[in-house]
């Protein structure tokens, strides 16, 4: 329980902490629970499963079986009747289940469970501001906001990871106000009056609100830039690289970058990692690092499509219809976007590398399954960057090599946690070897020993169907004139 309250709850405050602690205490005193006992026991077992994946006192090799034992109990206790109206307790339990399933090879279940949480929340009407306004106390309204936006957050994260369209529309996600940046202990349970955070106490809930704002920008990035588009339809170089927004709600890369800049400026100092307040508070310190990791990942996603297009025409011949782009203004802007993408990928790797504790503990970083995703994404950007002399001229090859070595070192540290890290290392080694061959003289063949080693590692691992395997979905050994491999996480949304 301590692991959950210290490591999970500050990032995902889906439950009422005081209420859950009181119900947990009743288990040991023998008092009757205030809420549905079966659902409570199911929820506690999911919490134990999730915490087992993050507990430093459990060695990495034993975490998965320990977590699976708790989750098996939770599944046995879970009672869901398709024909009955859900409850807030059910939605909270489903959100926690979705969180846990992210750490497993159960992608389909993770996707479905998140969808169930959303549909049950909508059936209760907590996606409507008028429903929340009718609740008796500010405490209940705040909890309802946290639960609905928990559905929004998981919807955005799962969609990004699996490359699938989000279920919750932009208008629906924004209809309910974000949870107030007020910690639970300052919200009276019965009072209908709005509470306030003491001025000298930084709020841990601010992280949740700022994460939700960031993921809404990320959703706009995915909707606007990760859509199927034939390059043959581009009328000019600007459309080819930056595909002007044509559909309602779509935004340009420049507008999205401005939104990210404004979001960064809006952060309180203790979430920027520059305040002495956060450095002296382990939870606030971790929140600042996790938020930075999320921001860097979104920024990579923003510039990656341009990098992909820039690299795809790097060797155009004179007869190529895209040849006119080589000294165009859009081409030069695309080069700068590509350079930024590579530098942000390097920063993402450095952030995680510099905060991975030597003693094997989790440290102040995001959960390990997110670190694997962030590092894999950043590493593929480094590979793409090495294909282009213009990028390497700006970002020193030695610096890219150092970042690459750090990325593989991080993934190898996580190999004991999950097979997904081993899959990523094997796939990246193959990609890297082929890039090196691509950059060499024509007719040069890949180092067969290295390629065979990586292929053997891939063949030895069951890819499964889960979230960890989702990182490797649609992985194919690439034709480097087709840069679709770079955008495989996320893949096209439609």
């Amino acid at each position: 329980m301590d692991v959950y309250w210290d490591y999970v709850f500050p990032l995902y405050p889906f439950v009422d902490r005081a209420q859950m602690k009181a119900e947990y205490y009743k288990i040991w005193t023998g008092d009757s629970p205030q809420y549905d006992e079966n659902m409570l026991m199911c929820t506690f077992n999911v919490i134990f499963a999730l915490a087992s994946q993050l507990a430093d006192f459990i060695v990495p090799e034993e975490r998965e079986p320990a977590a699976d034992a708790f989750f098996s109990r939770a599944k046995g206790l879970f009672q869901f009747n398709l024909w009955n109206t859900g409850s807030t307790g059910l939605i909270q339990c489903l959100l926690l289940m979705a969180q846990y399933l992210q750490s497993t090879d159960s992608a389909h279940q993770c996707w479905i469970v998140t969808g169930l949480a959303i549909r049950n929340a909508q059936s209760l009407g907590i996606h409507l501001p008028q429903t929340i306004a009718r609740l008796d106390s500010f405490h209940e309204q705040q909890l309802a906001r946290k639960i609905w936006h928990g559905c929004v957050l998981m919807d955005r994260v799962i969609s990004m990871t699996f490359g699938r369209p989000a279920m919750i529309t932009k208008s629906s996600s924004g209809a309910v106000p974000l949870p107030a940046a007020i910690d639970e202990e300052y919200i009276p349970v019965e009072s209908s009056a709005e509470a306030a955070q003491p001025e000298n106490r930084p709020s841990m809930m601010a992280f949740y609100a700022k994460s939700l704002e960031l993921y809404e920008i990320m959703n706009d990035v995915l909707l606007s830039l990760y859509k199927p588009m034939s390059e043959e339809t581009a009328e000019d170089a600007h459309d080819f690289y930056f595909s002007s927004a044509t559909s309602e709600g779509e935004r340009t890369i420049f507008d999205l970058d401005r939104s990210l800049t404004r979001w960064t400026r809006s952060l309180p100092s203790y979430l920027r990692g520059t305040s002495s307040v956060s450095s002296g508070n382990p939870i606030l310190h971790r929140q600042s690092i996790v938020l930075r990791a999320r921001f860097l990942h979104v920024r990579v996603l923003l510039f990656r499509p341009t990098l992909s297009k820039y690299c795809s025409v790097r060797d155009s011949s004179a007869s190529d219809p895209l040849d006119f782009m080589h000294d165009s203004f859009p081409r030069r802007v695309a080069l700068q976007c590509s350079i930024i993408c590579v530098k942000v990928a390097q920063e993402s790797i450095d952030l995680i590398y510099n905060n991975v504790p030597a003693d094997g503990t989790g440290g102040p970083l995001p959960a390990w399954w997110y670190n694997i995703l962030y590092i894999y994404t950043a590493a593929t950007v480094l590979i793409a960057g090495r294909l282009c002399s213009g990028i390497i001229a700006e970002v020193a090859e030695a610096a890219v090599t150092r970042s690459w070595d750090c990325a593989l070192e991080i993934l190898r540290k996580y190999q004991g946690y999950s097979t997904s890290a081993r899959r990523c290392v094997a796939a990246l080694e193959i990609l890297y070897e082929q890039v090196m061959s691509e950059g060499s003289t024509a007719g040069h063949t890949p180092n067969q020993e290295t390629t065979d080693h990586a292929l053997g590692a891939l063949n030895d691992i069951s890819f499964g169907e889960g979230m960890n395997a989702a990182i490797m979905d649609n992985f194919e050994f690439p034709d480097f004139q087709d840069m679709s491999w770079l955008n495989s996480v996320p893949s096209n949304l439609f």
Side-chain angles (χ1 to χ4, degrees):
M1 289 301 291
D2 284 343
V3 170
Y4 176 77
W5 295 126
D6 291 342
Y7 290 94
V8 182
F9 181 79
L11 306 186
Y12 304 92
F14 298 156
V15 300
D16 184 306
R17 177 162 45 186
Q19 180 190 95
M20 291 297 286
K21 284 188 172 183
E23 293 299 324
Y24 184 69
Y25 183 70
K26 287 177 183 177
I27 295 173
W28 305 106
T29 60
D31 295 337
S32 298
Q34 183 178 348
Y35 302 94
D36 179 77
E37 183 175 7
N38 208 69
M39 183 57 69
L40 279 171
M41 296 303 292
C42 176
T43 301
F44 283 129
N45 274 283
V46 178
I47 286 174
F48 299 154
L50 187 54
S52 293
Q53 289 281 31
L54 299 167
D56 290 332
F57 54 80
I58 303 176
V59 297
E61 292 76 17
E62 294 178 7
R63 293 182 188 182
E64 189 173 344
D68 186 59
F70 285 121
F71 194 68
S72 295
R73 292 179 198 167
K75 287 190 291 185
L77 290 163
F78 186 70
Q79 295 179 353
F80 174 69
N81 189 326
L82 191 61
W83 313 111
N84 291 344
T85 303
S87 65
T88 55
L90 172 65
I91 300 164
Q92 290 167 318
C93 185
L94 288 168
L95 288 173
L96 290 168
M97 282 185 166
Q99 269 191 283
Y100 168 72
L101 289 167
Q102 287 181 304
S103 70
T104 71
D105 283 331
S106 302
H108 177 70
Q109 290 86 342
C110 186
W111 178 259
I112 296 300
V113 164
T114 301
L116 281 174
I118 294 167
R119 285 292 182 245
N120 275 279
Q122 290 170 328
S123 71
L124 292 181
I126 63 173
H127 66 301
L128 302 171
Q130 56 266 37
T131 303
I132 292 178
R134 286 196 295 266
L135 295 173
D136 294 334
S137 67
F138 180 73
H139 177 269
E140 290 178 312
Q141 293 174 4
Q142 175 80 339
L143 181 60
R145 289 185 196 179
K146 289 197 295 184
I147 293 172
W148 170 244
H149 283 288
C151 293
V152 174
L153 186 148
M154 293 304 295
D155 182 43
R156 301 305 191 232
V157 171
I158 299 298
S159 298
M160 175 269 294
T161 307
F162 296 155
R164 297 172 183 172
M167 180 183 287
I168 300 172
T169 63
K170 185 174 178 65
S171 59
S172 184
S173 68
V176 173
L178 292 175
I182 306 171
D183 295 337
E184 288 180 345
E185 57 264 36
Y186 304 113
I187 302 177
V189 176
E190 303 297 336
S191 173
S192 59
E194 190 160 334
Q197 182 82 7
E199 289 186 9
N200 61 341
R201 305 283 284 182
S203 170
M204 286 192 289
M205 276 299 298
F207 168 87
Y208 191 44
K210 288 302 175 184
S211 290
L212 289 163
E213 291 175 5
L214 176 64
Y215 281 140
E216 208 51 46
I217 299 172
M218 181 188 74
N219 190 52
D220 287 345
V221 169
L222 299 181
L223 290 174
S224 302
L225 304 181
Y226 287 82
K227 56 184 179 179
M229 175 172 287
S230 171
E231 293 172 359
E232 297 175 1
T233 63
E235 294 183 2
D236 54 34
H238 184 280
D239 278 355
F240 174 77
Y241 286 116
F242 308 114
S243 56
S244 300
T246 53
S247 303
E248 185 178 355
E250 289 182 4
R251 304 169 64 188
T252 66
I253 184 174
F254 308 105
D255 184 34
L256 291 162
D257 182 59
R258 182 166 55 186
S259 292
L260 282 176
T261 301
R262 288 173 174 168
W263 175 87
T264 304
R265 289 174 179 164
S266 73
L267 293 177
S269 60
Y270 58 86
L271 288 181
R272 296 182 185 181
T274 57
S275 168
S276 59
V277 174
S278 60
S279 60
N281 184 314
I283 289 178
L284 294 178
H285 178 59
R286 180 165 179 253
Q287 285 183 336
S288 68
I289 290 176
V290 171
L291 203 56
R292 185 68 183 172
R294 292 177 178 180
F295 164 75
L296 293 172
H297 185 67
V298 173
R299 203 147 187 252
V300 166
L301 296 181
L302 173 64
F303 290 109
R304 194 173 60 176
T306 304
L307 170 67
S308 175
K309 290 177 181 178
Y310 182 84
C311 292
S312 69
V313 293
R314 67 195 182 285
D315 294 324
S316 297
S317 64
S319 61
D320 195 305
L322 295 175
D323 190 53
F324 71 95
M325 298 181 185
H326 274 276
D327 200 33
S328 66
F329 175 70
R331 171 79 175 168
R332 290 181 176 273
V333 175
L335 170 60
Q336 293 306 313
C337 290
S338 301
I339 290 169
I340 291 171
C341 191
V342 172
K343 288 184 175 180
V344 173
Q346 290 180 294
E347 187 178 350
S348 180
I349 292 167
D350 285 345
L351 179 71
I352 295 174
Y353 184 82
N354 293 332
N355 285 284
V356 173
D359 60 4
T361 58
L365 290 167
W368 54 262
W369 50 92
Y370 282 115
N371 292 333
I372 292 173
L373 173 64
Y374 297 159
I375 292 297
Y376 178 81
T377 304
T380 57
V381 165
L382 296 183
I383 292 174
R386 296 199 70 144
L387 289 167
C388 305
S389 58
I391 296 174
I392 291 299
E394 177 78 18
V395 185
E397 188 165 359
V400 174
T401 300
R402 178 193 171 277
S403 296
W404 172 261
D405 291 341
C406 289
L408 289 188
E409 185 179 336
I410 294 166
L411 290 175
R412 289 186 178 115
K413 284 184 178 180
Y414 286 125
Q415 286 182 135
Y417 293 71
S418 169
T419 56
S420 66
R422 291 163 54 206
R423 284 194 291 264
C424 287
V425 170
L428 289 171
E429 285 178 340
I430 293 172
L431 285 170
Y432 187 80
E433 178 64 29
Q434 294 201 9
V435 166
M436 292 301 96
S437 301
E438 173 77 6
S440 301
T441 56
H444 177 73
T445 57
N447 181 317
Q448 196 61 45
E449 182 180 351
T450 303
T451 304
D452 287 347
H453 171 74
L455 281 169
L458 281 173
N459 292 333
D460 287 343
I461 301 167
S462 170
F463 273 70
E465 60 164 13
M467 164 115 185
N468 294 332
I471 296 176
M472 299 302 298
D473 275 354
N474 305 320
F475 177 81
E476 296 176 358
F477 303 110
D479 168 6
F480 281 95
Q481 295 301 324
D482 171 14
M483 298 296 293
S484 59
W485 58 272
L486 180 58
N487 294 323
S488 61
V489 183
S491 59
N492 286 335
L493 290 177
F494 306 100

